[in-house]
Amino acid sequence: MTEPSQGNVEAVCDLLIGQESAMAKLYELYRDVVPGMGEFWQQLAIEEHAHAQVMTALRQKFREGKLWLNSSAFSVTQIRDSISSAVTKINLAKQGPVAPIDALTGALDIELGVVENLFYKVFEPLEKDMIPEFQELRRHTQEHARRI
C-alpha cells in the first residue's frame, strides 16, 4: 500500500461527505413527497447526516495518521456516479409526489451501491480501537438497505 497525498485524501473525503449529504437531502425530500412515509424518511435523513459527520471525523483521523487511504479499493468514478444518482433522484423528487415503490427502489439502489463500493474499502484503520467504528458504519448502512 502506498501512502496517498494529503490533497487526494481530502478530495476523496469531500466526495464521501458529499455522498452522505446528498442522500440526506434526498431522504428529506422523500419525507415531504412520498405519501405516508414521512417518519421513515426523516429517520434515514438524520442517520445520513450522522454518516457525513463520521466521514468528517475520519478525515481528521487521516490527518492524525490513524488511517490509510486504500486507493486500490475504490473508484472515484463510483463515488461520483453515486452522488449523481442521488442528485438525479433529488431533482425528480422536487417535481412533486413520488410513489412509495419508486422512492424505495431508488433508495435501495443507492444504499446497496454504498455497501458494495464505498467507505468500508476506502479507509484502513491503523489503530485497532478504530475497527469497531468501521464495523458500526457498515452495519448501519446495511441496516438502511434492510429497512428500505
Side-chain angles (χ1 to χ4, degrees):
M1 176 182 356
T2 60
E3 185 171 356
S5 70
Q6 182 74 20
N8 186 23
V9 171
E10 296 287 335
V12 169
C13 287
D14 288 345
L15 283 171
L16 291 171
I17 292 165
Q19 159 70 24
E20 296 300 327
S21 297
M23 292 185 66
K25 183 174 182 174
L26 175 63
Y27 295 162
E28 287 168 345
L29 279 168
Y30 281 171
R31 174 197 62 212
D32 298 333
V33 300
V34 178
M37 298 183 70
E39 286 183 34
F40 173 79
W41 294 113
Q42 179 61 31
Q43 184 59 41
L44 288 176
I46 289 167
E47 293 168 6
E48 293 299 342
H49 281 298
H51 292 175
Q53 291 174 342
V54 168
M55 290 308 306
T56 300
L58 290 176
R59 177 174 43 197
Q60 182 58 36
K61 296 286 186 186
F62 177 81
R63 290 175 181 158
E64 295 168 3
K66 297 179 179 179
L67 291 175
W68 282 92
L69 179 73
N70 184 356
S71 59
S72 66
F74 72 96
S75 162
V76 170
T77 300
Q78 289 171 314
I79 302 169
R80 288 188 177 132
D81 287 349
S82 185
I83 293 169
S84 178
S85 178
V87 169
T88 297
K89 288 169 179 49
I90 288 167
N91 290 333
L92 288 171
K94 286 179 179 179
Q95 295 175 15
V98 175
I101 191 66
D102 293 336
L104 291 166
T105 301
L108 186 59
D109 179 53
I110 294 172
E111 289 288 349
L112 291 176
V114 169
V115 170
E116 294 298 320
N117 298 312
L118 297 179
F119 14 82
Y120 323 112
K121 297 177 184 178
V122 173
F123 294 104
E124 294 184 14
L126 296 177
E127 296 182 355
K128 288 182 182 179
D129 65 337
M130 290 186 62
I131 292 173
E133 292 177 39
F134 282 89
Q135 291 171 334
E136 180 63 16
L137 187 58
R138 181 175 190 155
R139 187 200 61 75
H140 209 241
T141 300
Q142 290 171 332
E143 177 64 18
H144 279 191
R146 187 196 65 74
R147 287 185 356 225
I148 291 169

